[in-house]
Amino acid sequence: MRDVINNYLSAFDLDIRKSHDARFVDQKCTPDIVCFMADCVLNMIATKTLFVINDIWETQYFIQNSRVIFNKPWANDKKAYNEYNKVLSQPLKLLAYAHVLSVHTIDGLLTFSVENEELLDYIARKDRNAYNFLYCYFMKVMDDSGFTKYFEEYKVNSATNPRAAKTEIYERYYRLINGNTPSHSRFDITRMFHKVFNIYAAENGLVGSSGKPMYYSDLMYNRKNWRDLEKDKTQTRQEVATDTYQMDTQHAINSYYVQKAIALIRKIQTESEVKDSWGNGVATQVHHIFPKSQFPQIAHYVENLILLTATQHFTKAHPNNRTQEINRDYQLVCLLAKADTIEKSLRTVGERYYRKESFIYVVNTGLDSELTTKLSFEDIKTEIVRLYNCA
């Protein structure tokens, strides 16, 4: 999929020295926020193809899900205005700079529309997809701006003196932005560069802005802010001193991501994935191969979801329509069929929808096994059958 993204971005000149725009990235442009905002845009354009920031802000979809996903105050709470303004505006501007969205000023308001719905849909599906997009996008901006060589220098020099190498690349980035855009605050420029720098570091297994090795999970916004270690993020900082309100939102978070995954399966699969005598007719049921009640950690993985007919779902997968029970023999059938679906999809469209690594994780979690990604799909299926026969 990165080839598709790179091919699309290649049509545009994203040189900062020509755009004079330092806001191609900003503080809130993390993979999880960009993914969520892309999802909100898709929800918006179903009824309104031209929209301003407040249009999304006022939707129940944004209000409900932003509170759930990021564990923040209600989006329509006036005291939380500053906490949400950047969450909305910065990712939208990034997507516009990348030509995923179009933006024009109408009646004094930034007005957005979708320029590439296919790419927007990809970004909206998973945080990992948003990460892939951001890596391609940031590297395109850096390359067009003549800055890629400094990342390559950092990769080499950080092996022996990471602190000095980091100081050097940050100084060069400051000069690039200070000399070519209206942004001159070293503090702001540094904060914005963190997002670009850390994605590059995570991709290449290097030390990030914190001075420690950077990993994919470290890139997410939805981690404890050092200023918020003693407060619930559903509260504004002004409220924390007087309010001890707490709320367990894990179930709601899981439901949001599960529903996104189910929607993707319904979109990409048009018929039952299991080809058996019960597979005739319309496939309407999205089934968790490993039950979400027992394996909530993989409930939102598309690799753990399979499209079935109603007969397959309620007669075979769940015997006699007892949805709390799983037919282990049919679970094996579903796993083998899903392996075929994923292998075919990877061969056809790459990692647009599925990842082999994610399927291995699903299998290892559900079967308490230790399969490796080095296995071919044929070998994976052989091992799955062996595990079921040994149980």
Side-chain angles (χ1 to χ4, degrees), residues 89-303:
S89 62
Q90 292 176 1
L92 293 180
K93 290 177 182 178
L94 178 149
L95 291 170
Y97 196 97
H99 295 272
V100 178
L101 302 180
S102 296
V103 61
H104 303 282
T105 301
I106 300 176
D107 296 330
L109 296 174
L110 290 179
T111 304
F112 297 88
S113 60
V114 175
E115 190 168 335
N116 187 328
E117 187 170 346
E118 181 179 0
L119 182 51
L120 182 69
D121 181 76
Y122 171 78
I123 296 166
R125 292 299 175 182
K126 296 188 290 187
D127 295 346
R128 174 71 66 171
N129 291 4
Y131 165 80
N132 287 333
F133 161 74
L134 287 173
Y135 178 76
C136 294
Y137 165 64
F138 288 156
M139 292 304 100
K140 172 71 162 93
V141 175
M142 294 296 95
D143 191 50
D144 287 355
S145 304
F147 202 81
T148 302
K149 59 185 177 183
Y150 301 120
F151 279 102
E152 294 170 351
E153 288 178 4
Y154 174 76
K155 183 188 289 188
V156 174
N157 297 335
S158 64
T160 54
N161 194 338
R163 180 175 296 182
K166 177 192 166 187
T167 299
E168 175 69 16
I169 192 171
Y170 269 77
E171 178 61 28
R172 289 190 178 278
Y173 186 78
Y174 171 74
R175 293 177 195 170
L176 171 68
I177 301 301
N178 182 59
N180 292 282
T181 78
S183 297
H184 304 297
S185 165
R186 185 180 291 271
F187 177 74
D188 287 341
I189 293 171
T190 297
R191 286 201 307 177
M192 289 186 286
F193 187 52
H194 285 336
K195 304 307 173 190
V196 180
F197 180 70
N198 285 336
I199 280 190
Y200 179 83
E203 179 72 13
N204 291 278
L206 303 172
V207 170
S209 62
S210 66
K212 299 177 181 179
M214 185 60 53
Y215 300 103
Y216 169 75
S217 59
D218 298 325
L219 301 170
M220 303 302 160
Y221 171 79
N222 198 20
R223 296 182 297 124
K224 284 289 185 182
N225 185 302
W226 69 270
R227 296 175 61 191
D228 296 336
L229 289 177
E230 302 301 326
K231 84 174 184 72
D232 185 336
K233 284 172 66 179
T234 59
Q235 302 167 280
T236 57
R237 294 192 175 101
Q238 297 93 320
E239 292 174 324
V240 67
T242 58
D243 189 2
T244 58
Y245 176 74
Q246 293 183 349
M247 178 180 179
D248 180 9
T249 60
Q250 193 58 52
H251 176 72
I253 293 172
N254 289 347
S255 295
Y256 169 77
Y257 285 111
V258 167
Q259 290 307 310
K260 281 182 64 175
I262 288 174
L264 177 57
I265 294 296
R266 293 190 190 281
K267 178 179 178 178
I268 63 178
Q269 304 299 152
T270 58
E271 58 184 25
S272 174
E273 296 176 65
V274 176
K275 310 305 180 186
D276 60 17
S277 58
W278 295 274
N280 296 325
V282 180
T284 58
Q285 304 296 309
V286 179
H287 170 64
H288 281 88
I289 301 173
F290 296 108
K292 62 181 178 181
S293 59
Q294 297 177 33
F295 302 96
Q297 68 271 43
I298 56 174
H300 64 285
Y301 277 64
V302 289
E303 292 83 3

Side-chain angles (χ1 to χ4, degrees), residues 311-323 325 327:
T311 302
Q312 289 173 320
H313 192 213
F314 297 119
T315 302
K316 300 301 294 180
H318 300 295
N320 300 318
N321 201 20
R322 294 193 294 268
T323 56
E325 295 183 16
N327 180 332

Side-chain angles (χ1 to χ4, degrees), residues 26-35 70 91 130 134 195 199 219-222:
D26 221 317
Q27 187 181 1
K28 304 299 184 186
C29 295
T30 57
D32 51 342
I33 293 183
V34 171
C35 177
F70 300 114
L134 287 173
K195 304 307 173 190
I199 280 190
L219 301 170
M220 303 302 160
Y221 171 79
N222 198 20

